[in-house]
Amino acid sequence: MASAAEQLAANLNFGAFGKAEDLKKRLWFTLGALLVYRLGTYIPLPGIDPEALRQIFNANQGVLAMFNVFAGGAVGRMAIFALNIMPYISASIIIQLLTAVVPELEKLKKEGEQGRKQINQYTRYLTVVLAVFQSWGIAVGLQSSGTVVANPGLFFVMSTVITLTGGTMFMMWLGEQITQRGIGNGISLIIFAGIVAELPSVLAQAFELGRQGVIATPLLLGLLILIGLTIVVIVFFERAQRRLLIQYPKRQQGNKVFEGNSSHLPLKLNTAGVIPPIFASSLLLLPTTALSFQTNPAEWLRLTAQLLGHGQPLFMALYALLIIFFCFFYTAIVFNPTETADNLRKYGGFIPGIRPGEKTAQYIDYVLTRITVIGAAYITLVCLLPEVLIGQLGQSFYLLGGTSLLIVVTVTLDTVAQVQGYLLAHQYEGLIKKSQLRGKRR
């Protein structure tokens, strides 16, 4: 009976998908936009020697590999999309942090749609500033790295800054277009596409290492099983919620008396999402990335870069502490217990056994803090997994664990949920139209 019901539901969803023209248009637009993004990761910067760049990239694999994963291989090719969407993500995080500190931004956040548009505009301005600064650092680093640049000078620096900044702004615009006219969150899907595009080559590299005997076959099979278990754990924790019971009393409107009902306030175990590991890794990779382009760095800089290398105990300790810190910090920014408690009291809702107002806010904050401890521990363990593999095996497995898998799984879950939402909406519209036609016939 259960299998027959599942088959019937699948047939209904397939039929709804075949009739949902708007959904198909959105899917085609999303695929086309992601194809444009992938083409841009293969267009190199002008004036770059590919062979010299490849040698430097291989020599500094531990520093640049993670950036290359998020950029879909564009860093290794030094393409026009080498900065990827990271300046926009950094700008978004900074603006969201400032909304909790700057009263003017906090007022804009509460003004609804108009305030959100203004905040988005500030985010775009900050993205330009960060992209110019980062692209200038890349241009100077490439010039000082030896024979990578054919004709070093001011013209190369200016052209690199303009090209990389323009590539980031185009990707930001492309992500916004996907969000508005496609399916899912455009920025997340761009990062998702870059990671998935590099997955076949990384798997092929792992199997080649197994064939050559660098990695034992049982260890390789264990690695694949570990990846599968990690995906299961991520799905479980990302879907996990703590639901607080909300009770609404009886109310009277005119001559009608509405019975009291109950609902739930869902609190995600991982409220911060993938922001903590991305921000933590970005902070830790800043000094080592800057050092990788230096030809003759000082001895203390070399020692610092060695201690902050991937797989090193100091790096893993700082990485874990930063992830935990940003889990609590970002959760406190995106979820305000006091505002939630005020909204519940405004609509007459209350948590059974808890007094409305300040007591409700304290209770929600207490529950949120407890589940964030579990969420922070889960994210930390998942993100430290590839670091342990790097330390034990001496190979880069950024794409097969940690932040990469976390991004791929969460984006997939969100996109599938949005597709299902469109299908349900289309089915409801069909039912409403049928009922209206039957009413007219009668």
Side-chain angles (χ1 to χ4, degrees):
M1 290 293 293
S3 60
E6 291 175 359
Q7 184 65 33
L8 178 61
N11 292 334
L12 288 174
N13 286 335
F14 181 77
F17 177 78
K19 297 177 182 178
E21 295 295 332
D22 180 63
L23 177 59
K24 288 192 287 187
K25 290 179 181 178
R26 286 178 173 272
L27 287 173
W28 281 116
F29 180 85
T30 302
L31 291 175
L34 293 179
L35 179 61
V36 171
Y37 156 66
R38 288 304 302 162
L39 290 175
T41 59
Y42 286 92
I43 303 175
L45 285 174
I48 298 292
D49 184 359
E51 183 60 28
L53 177 66
R54 185 181 63 81
Q55 293 177 2
I56 291 180
F57 184 80
N58 292 334
N60 297 279
Q61 187 69 225
V63 178
L64 301 176
M66 193 167 185
F67 283 128
N68 196 45
V69 165
F70 290 130
V75 175
R77 296 182 286 269
M78 199 50 65
I80 60 174
F81 289 165
L83 282 182
N84 202 261
I85 207 69
M86 289 304 168
Y88 179 75
I89 294 177
S90 301
S92 301
I93 295 172
I94 292 172
I95 292 296
Q96 288 181 359
L97 295 179
L98 289 177
T99 53
V101 180
V102 181
E104 288 76 10
L105 291 176
E106 188 176 1
K107 290 179 182 178
L108 283 176
K109 186 179 179 181
K110 296 179 179 179
E111 287 181 2
E113 183 67 21
Q114 190 62 33
R116 186 183 65 82
K117 289 182 179 179
Q118 191 64 39
I119 291 177
N120 288 340
Q121 197 64 25
Y122 291 152
T123 305
R124 296 187 186 102
Y125 294 149
L126 185 57
T127 301
V128 174
V129 175
L130 293 178
V132 168
F133 177 75
Q134 293 180 14
S135 58
W136 176 81
I138 289 176
V140 173
L142 289 173
Q143 282 194 146
S144 62
S145 59
T147 60
V148 175
V149 181
N151 296 306
L154 181 61
F155 179 77
F156 171 77
V157 173
M158 293 298 296
S159 63
T160 301
V161 169
I162 294 173
T163 303
L164 292 180
T165 303
T168 297
M169 299 309 294
F170 176 78
M171 292 179 63
M172 180 188 70
W173 174 83
L174 193 65
E176 292 176 350
Q177 293 301 309
I178 293 175
T179 303
Q180 295 174 5
R181 303 171 60 184
I183 287 291
N185 183 281
I187 304 300
S188 300
L189 281 173
I190 286 176
I191 301 176
F192 169 85
I195 295 174
V196 171
E198 293 295 305
L199 187 59
S201 62
V202 173
L203 288 175
Q205 179 185 1
F207 285 120
E208 181 64 22
L209 292 174
R211 189 185 66 82
Q212 295 175 358
V214 179
I215 300 178
T217 302
L219 184 61
L220 184 60
L221 293 176
L223 177 63
L224 295 177
I225 294 173
L226 183 61
I227 292 170
L229 292 176
T230 304
I231 293 175
V232 173
V233 170
I234 292 174
V235 172
F236 174 78
F237 278 95
E238 290 300 320
R239 295 177 68 90
Q241 294 179 347
R242 171 70 162 90
R243 295 185 176 183
L244 300 180
L245 179 63
I246 305 297
Q247 193 73 35
Y248 292 93
K250 292 183 179 180
R251 66 185 190 278
Q252 183 174 357
Q253 291 183 356
N255 295 327
K256 293 183 179 180
V257 177
F258 295 91
E259 291 292 332
N261 58 1
S262 61
S263 63
H264 293 89
L265 175 64
L267 300 177
K268 286 190 65 177
L269 199 66
N270 178 23
T271 307
V274 298
I275 296 300
I278 291 177
F279 211 48
S281 59
S282 299
L283 287 178
L284 286 177
L285 287 174
L286 279 177
T288 51
T289 303
L291 185 64
S292 65
F293 292 108
Q294 298 285 332
T295 52
N296 294 312
E299 186 62 30
W300 68 273
L301 287 175
R302 291 182 180 179
L303 181 61
T304 302
Q306 185 178 0
L307 292 175
L308 291 178
H310 281 285
Q312 298 299 319
L314 179 61
F315 177 87
M316 289 192 285
L318 292 177
Y319 193 33
L321 290 175
L322 285 174
I323 289 176
I324 294 171
F325 170 75
F326 283 116
C327 278
F328 283 93
F329 193 71
Y330 195 74
T331 299
I333 290 174
V334 299
F335 191 91
N336 190 341
T338 303
E339 185 178 345
T340 304
D342 291 340
N343 291 332
L344 286 176
R345 183 171 57 179
K346 186 185 302 182
Y347 292 101
F350 63 94
I351 299 176
I354 307 296
R355 182 176 298 176
E358 185 179 353
K359 292 293 184 181
T360 299
Q362 292 176 356
Y363 178 75
I364 295 175
D365 183 64
Y366 170 72
V367 174
L368 188 63
T369 302
R370 292 179 66 187
I371 64 174
T372 303
V373 171
I374 303 175
Y378 136 71
I379 295 180
T380 303
L381 291 176
V382 169
C383 292
L384 286 181
L385 175 63
E387 303 300 332
V388 175
L389 293 176
I390 292 170
Q392 296 296 323
L393 303 178
Q395 300 292 331
S396 298
F397 291 102
Y398 302 106
L399 202 61
L400 301 181
T403 310
S404 302
L405 281 181
L406 188 64
I407 292 173
V408 169
V409 174
T410 52
V411 172
T412 302
L413 291 175
D414 293 341
T415 305
V416 170
Q418 191 165 345
V419 171
Q420 291 177 345
Y422 274 103
L423 290 175
L424 287 174
H426 181 75
Q427 289 178 348
Y428 284 133
E429 288 177 2
L431 291 174
I432 292 172
K433 289 180 181 178
K434 287 181 181 179
S435 63
Q436 290 176 348
L437 287 175
R438 289 175 182 174
K440 289 180 179 179
R441 289 174 182 174
R442 293 178 181 176

